[in-house]
Amino acid sequence: MSTEDRSTTEGHHTTDDRSTTEGRSTLRKLAVGGILLAVVALIVTVGLLLREHAPGNMGVGFLQGAAVGLLALLLMVWRLSKRPDRATTFERAWSQTGDERDDAILTRALAVLGLAAFPLTSVAAVAVALGVEPSMVFALLLFAEIVVGGVAFVVINRRN
Amino acid sequence: MRNDLRELRQAAGLSQRKLAEALDVSRQTINSIETGRYDPSLPLAIAIARHFHRTVEEIFHVD
């Protein structure tokens, strides 16, 4: 291996490398900002539609839940930008800023969730067929999937 | 798979954090590789080997 090759592998990047990396970083930030704005617009639209047409206070609940979720997301982004060395595997993986191990853990956790989704949905379908309130079944199904995904992520993270 | 990463890192006087920064991975990844809980991908194994001027086979061993 030449001296030049070694310097590259040891982290001494050239000016071209840095400008390319900075360009990608700016593009990534713009893309994330655009996606975030689109998500907020979609949430507000769905929330207003639910408040107008859905039963009870479902629309308000949806908007409150979405606000909490967005706050958690912003907190995660803030932590990643200010203290990336203290970020958790979950934060790195979900923000797509992690390394190969973070990606592998997220992929495995999502695979477990995908496998569990089939029997969970089957149980939910049977419950609806037996006459259980569908809105309650859907809420429990969503909750169960969140729990399965979360537990799978924590267990796989500890094992790896 | 076993590896000699911890010994190599300590011999080089590097902390897990410093090595992680040099390889552009998290400290947890270095720790997981050292404890054998995570087997790195081939590109990362090659990057580790190059960092210590060794071959992959000199660092990583199949039981």
Side-chain angles (χ1 to χ4, degrees):
Chain A
M1 189 192 305
S2 70
T3 309
E4 192 179 335
D5 290 340
R6 280 181 183 156
S7 68
T8 304
T9 58
E10 288 169 15
H12 303 294
H13 301 293
T14 64
T15 309
D16 285 346
D17 288 339
R18 273 196 294 273
S19 61
T20 308
T21 307
E22 283 167 10
R24 281 181 191 158
S25 177
T26 308
L27 271 176
R28 192 170 194 157
K29 281 177 185 171
L30 282 172
V32 169
I35 291 169
L36 199 61
L37 278 176
V39 168
V40 170
L42 183 69
I43 285 171
V44 170
T45 306
V46 172
L48 291 175
L49 280 171
L50 285 174
R51 204 169 68 168
E52 194 67 29
H53 301 288
N57 56 359
M58 190 177 177
V60 176
F62 177 85
L63 286 171
Q64 286 173 344
V68 171
L70 278 174
L71 275 178
L73 181 69
L74 289 175
L75 178 67
M76 193 170 84
V77 171
W78 179 79
R79 275 171 52 84
L80 281 165
S81 61
K82 296 293 178 188
R83 305 300 297 267
D85 54 321
R86 291 198 176 183
T88 61
T89 304
F90 179 84
E91 287 169 327
R92 289 193 303 268
W94 279 92
S95 61
Q96 296 291 296
T97 58
D99 60 22
E100 61 172 46
R101 174 178 168 270
D102 303 322
D103 291 343
I105 290 168
L106 179 60
T107 302
R108 288 179 200 168
L110 289 175
V112 171
L113 176 58
L115 282 172
F118 183 72
L120 284 174
T121 309
S122 303
V123 170
V126 170
V128 170
L130 290 175
V132 181
E133 181 66 31
S135 58
M136 181 62 72
V137 172
F138 288 135
L140 286 174
L141 177 61
L142 184 61
F143 181 73
E145 287 177 344
I146 290 170
V147 169
V148 167
V151 169
F153 191 94
V154 170
V155 170
I156 295 168
N157 186 30
R158 286 192 176 184
R159 284 185 179 174
N160 289 276
Chain B
M1 195 161 68
R2 292 178 297 108
N3 66 76
D4 302 329
L5 182 57
R6 187 185 297 273
E7 291 77 12
L8 281 170
R9 177 179 61 76
Q10 288 174 341
L14 287 170
S15 64
Q16 287 186 341
R17 191 175 301 285
K18 285 284 179 194
L19 179 59
E21 285 172 6
L23 295 168
D24 199 23
V25 296
S26 67
R27 187 196 58 76
Q28 290 92 329
T29 296
I30 298 298
N31 185 57
S32 292
I33 293 171
E34 286 186 356
T35 53
R37 284 180 290 139
Y38 178 72
D39 291 331
S41 68
L42 186 55
L44 180 55
I46 291 172
I48 291 169
R50 283 183 175 173
H51 186 86
F52 291 107
H53 305 297
R54 303 288 178 97
T55 63
V56 171
E57 294 91 334
E58 284 176 310
I59 302 175
F60 297 94
H61 322 278
V62 178
D63 287 324

